[in-house]
């Protein structure tokens, strides 16, 4: 069955390029991004993995660990990482799950048989400190993902978790946020000392609280 937002992220123990991990223990008290690739030694994936290594400091800054997966073994992963480092001007600095028996791919419903019977689609799962799924995304094999968008979405998720604000269309870090409907105007006065604008009773904007 497909995993949905709010579900607990299934736990598993696997071999990775950085040793064996138990997923929930590895996540610890922070956030995590689990992202899958169709297969090793494929062109689009090569660019994606290289980009993720280059922007890893942005995930670190947000207390988010990142981990990749494809349905190949450790030896392939290690050889391919050398190619990624060579061609993408980076050093892969996060673990890659070896999943040759598709244990994790099956748990996370990453194989979509009507697209391809054996390869994983491009999935992204953002998982919170409570081990619950906060965001999912699924792209086909031929479309590389926009990982800057994942960072933007994590900024929004963390603002909601910490400050009870939502983010409007095309929001970017530093822009005004939306006060969630469950907060009354009286509570908002306490919670948002920078003030807020009531455009409609259900549409209230406040400066980004953590700025
Ligand atoms: C790729 O990662 O480059 C890729 C994989 C499968 C189909 C098309 C592209």
């Amino acid at each position: 069955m497909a995993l949905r937002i709010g579900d607990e992220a299934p736990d598993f123990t696997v071999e990775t390029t950085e040793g064996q991990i138990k997923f929930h223990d590895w996540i610890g008290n922070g956030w995590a991004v689990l992202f899958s690739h169709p297969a090793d030694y494929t062109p689009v994936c090569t660019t994606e993995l290289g980009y993720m290594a280059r922007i890893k400091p942005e995930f670190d800054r947000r207390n988010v660990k990142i981990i990749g997966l494809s349905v190949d073994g450790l030896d392939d992963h290690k050889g391919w990482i050398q190619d990624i480092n060579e061609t993408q001007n980076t050093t892969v600095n996060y673990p890659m799950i070896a999943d040759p028996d598709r244990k994790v791919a099956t748990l996370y419903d990453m194989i979509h048989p009507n697209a391809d019977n054996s390869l994983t689609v491009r999935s992204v799962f953002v998982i919170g400190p409570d081990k619950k799924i906060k965001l999912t995304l699924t792209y086909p094999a031929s479309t590389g993902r926009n990982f800057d968008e994942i960072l933007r979405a994590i900024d929004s998720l963390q603002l909601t978790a910490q400050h009870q604000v939502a983010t409007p269309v095309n929001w970017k870090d530093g822009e005004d946020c939306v006060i969630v409907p469950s907060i009354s105007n009286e509570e908002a006065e306490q919670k948002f000392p920078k003030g807020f604008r009531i455009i409609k009773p259900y549409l209230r904007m406040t400066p980004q609280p953590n700025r």
Side-chain angles (χ1 to χ4, degrees):
M1 173 153 148
L3 292 171
R4 296 174 176 170
I5 290 172
D7 290 352
E8 179 165 295
D11 198 12
F12 53 81
T13 300
V14 277
E15 294 302 326
T16 79
T17 50
E18 297 187 359
Q20 190 180 79
I21 67 159
K22 187 171 181 302
F23 191 49
H24 283 193
D25 292 349
W26 176 82
I27 294 173
N29 296 322
W31 295 65
V33 172
L34 167 65
F35 57 105
S36 63
H37 297 276
D40 291 3
Y41 297 107
T42 48
V44 176
C45 302
T46 300
T47 63
E48 286 191 327
L49 270 100
Y51 191 73
M52 280 299 257
R54 292 202 299 276
I55 66 168
K56 183 168 173 291
E58 289 297 320
F59 288 99
D60 293 341
R61 204 159 64 73
R62 293 162 172 83
N63 196 23
V64 181
K65 290 183 173 175
I66 60 176
I67 188 162
L69 173 148
S70 78
V71 285
D72 288 300
L74 266 191
D75 286 348
D76 278 334
H77 281 6
K78 287 180 178 166
W80 183 36
I81 283 172
Q82 285 178 16
D83 287 359
I84 296 166
N85 292 345
E86 177 193 326
T87 62
Q88 306 302 306
N89 195 26
T90 190
T91 302
V92 172
N93 46 9
Y94 53 86
M96 281 282 291
I97 294 170
D99 195 30
D101 55 5
R102 303 180 201 167
K103 185 175 85 177
V104 182
T106 304
L107 263 181
Y108 278 78
D109 195 32
M110 289 167 168
I111 295 177
H112 296 194
N114 290 332
D116 191 297
N117 241 335
S118 55
L119 305 180
T120 41
V121 292
R122 291 184 198 285
S123 298
V124 178
F125 293 89
V126 178
I127 298 159
D130 58 0
K131 315 296 181 293
K132 297 263 172 69
I133 294 171
K134 306 297 180 189
L135 177 152
T136 69
L137 176 148
T138 307
Y139 271 33
S142 50
T143 303
R145 288 156 288 195
N146 182 337
F147 287 120
D148 295 337
E149 165 60 8
I150 300 298
L151 284 171
R152 190 194 74 89
I154 288 170
D155 284 341
S156 170
L157 290 167
Q158 293 186 340
L159 272 171
T160 305
Q162 288 152 20
H163 298 283
Q164 289 179 287
V165 289
T167 54
V169 60
N170 292 351
W171 172 86
K172 290 193 288 302
D173 188 37
E175 294 179 354
D176 286 356
C177 300
V178 169
I179 298 174
V180 298
S182 58
I183 293 193
S184 67
N185 287 340
E186 292 70 33
E187 286 172 292
E189 275 166 27
Q190 302 299 314
K191 252 185 130 17
F192 305 111
K194 293 177 193 163
F196 61 96
R197 286 177 291 127
I198 304 176
I199 300 164
K200 291 281 180 189
Y202 57 85
L203 176 58
R204 299 165 300 167
M205 306 297 295
T206 190
Q208 185 174 323
N210 62 349
R211 275 282 180 139

